[in-house]
Amino acid sequence: MKGLVFLLLYLLCAFVDAQQISSVSTYNNTTSSPSRYAKYFSDKQGSLWATTIGSSWRFNVGSSTWLRFTSSFPEMRDFACDSTGNDTIIYCSGGQTMDLASTSSALYIIDLLRGTVTFFSHMNIVGQGRVLNVSAHTMLWNDADQVFVVFGGQIPGGAPSSVVYSCILGVSLLLCTANSPGALTPYGVPTARSFHSAVMVSRPNNPVMLVYGGQRTNASDPSSSVMTTSGNIMDELWYLVRPGQYHWGLVVTTGSNPSPRFGHSSLYIGGYMYIFGGIGGP
């Protein structure tokens, strides 16, 4: 029973895309099911979805089969997705190609009802005349400020980032402003990281973003041995709030903490942050 609960939590943690059904395959057939880099999403009707942008899947719980969908976009990995509250529209940003050759600055709109994936805009950085190329980051919708909050990830070359961007979703443009949050606790601010997880905790007028784990190395492939070296993987839990401006604080926990990890999933539901999976140390 616990295994089933963890599986459902994992499948609830991320997101999708869709178009025409091109094939039907069994869940256990690893050559015809979502790749290890897929993101997952559950809609309000209880359907489970997976996507790597280039290929998308819907899981039929009754028959334990995956239905495959296709789109015209290249397959990507290590991108980030969230919804603005409309359960049928998902926004996915950044990522890198499957061969790790390039990092994206694109924002795509995934319409679950129409079964379409549409390029919306590049992530344009205000005042810098360039776009935000990033992968292995997090992007969460802050409903109070009506912005996407983008944190961390890897910039081209594999270096991890510590920048917090607030991105305004316009009619046909995404404008991102770089922030330099101060510290609310004596522990300073988070170090640069990627492959972390984050959740947005809704509170009236002042949501809180919780960030857990991640890795701090200069490698673009999460399977690289350098990324599992002791000291490169983190187990800190940080919070980001905005009392006027963004500020970081370190959550001082009690009891047994989750082990250090990166490439994991997290979900906030019913007052709890659930953390599942990922890659640990040596």
Side-chain angles (χ1 to χ4, degrees):
M1 181 63 184
K2 289 184 178 179
L4 176 60
V5 171
F6 280 133
L7 174 62
L8 292 176
L9 286 173
Y10 177 69
L11 292 173
L12 282 169
C13 284
F15 312 106
V16 212
D17 99 81
Q19 273 192 348
Q20 295 181 343
I21 296 178
S22 60
S23 64
V24 179
S25 56
T26 62
Y27 173 76
N28 292 322
N29 186 344
T30 56
T31 61
S32 301
S33 60
S35 75
R36 60 181 291 193
Y37 304 110
K39 300 291 184 179
Y40 293 86
F41 175 77
S42 176
D43 62 27
K44 290 180 179 178
Q45 287 70 46
S47 296
L48 304 178
W49 305 77
T51 186
T52 57
I53 293 296
S55 62
S56 304
W57 312 74
R58 180 177 180 178
F59 186 64
N60 186 321
V61 177
S63 61
S64 296
T65 59
W66 283 102
L67 305 179
R68 184 175 183 177
F69 296 75
T70 60
S71 71
S72 58
F73 295 97
E75 288 201 2
M76 301 289 288
R77 55 178 277 187
D78 307 328
F79 52 92
C81 302
D82 202 7
S83 168
T84 59
N86 183 339
D87 193 57
T88 64
I89 301 293
I90 306 297
Y91 295 86
C92 293
S93 69
Q96 55 184 335
T97 54
M98 301 301 288
D99 60 3
L100 310 179
S102 62
T103 305
S104 175
S105 64
L107 179 74
Y108 292 100
I109 296 178
I110 299 168
D111 190 321
L112 299 181
L113 291 182
R114 297 181 179 180
T116 59
V117 183
T118 307
F119 170 78
F120 178 77
S121 169
H122 289 286
M123 294 183 285
N124 298 275
I125 304 177
V126 174
Q128 297 188 21
R130 64 183 181 91
V131 295
L132 173 59
N133 292 280
V134 66
S135 64
H137 57 297
T138 52
M139 181 185 76
L140 295 173
W141 178 249
N142 179 340
D143 195 60
D145 293 332
Q146 295 288 290
V147 297
F148 283 112
V149 179
V150 176
F151 171 64
Q154 292 181 337
I155 59 177
S161 170
S162 62
V163 181
V164 175
Y165 292 94
S166 51
C167 301
I168 299 175
L169 188 65
V171 176
S172 60
L173 196 65
L174 187 71
L175 295 176
C176 298
T177 300
N179 300 275
S180 298
L184 287 177
T185 63
Y187 306 101
V189 299
T191 56
R193 66 193 61 208
S194 58
F195 296 100
H196 54 284
S197 70
V199 297
M200 190 69 73
V201 181
S202 297
R203 300 194 309 178
N205 302 320
N206 190 15
V208 176
M209 185 175 77
L210 297 175
V211 175
Y212 180 77
Q215 61 84 26
R216 57 168 61 93
T217 59
N218 220 9
S220 59
D221 186 350
S223 64
S224 171
S225 60
V226 69
M227 295 181 70
T228 58
T229 303
S230 178
N232 285 334
I233 309 174
M234 293 170 278
D235 62 352
E236 307 155 332
L237 179 62
W238 293 88
Y239 64 90
L240 180 71
V241 294
R242 188 178 182 182
Q245 294 182 339
Y246 287 112
H247 287 78
W248 283 111
L250 180 68
V251 179
V252 179
T253 60
T254 59
S256 299
N257 293 340
S259 59
R261 67 191 66 203
F262 65 93
H264 54 287
S265 298
S266 64
L267 173 71
Y268 181 81
I269 186 170
Y272 294 89
M273 180 181 181
Y274 294 88
I275 298 170
F276 178 74
I279 302 173

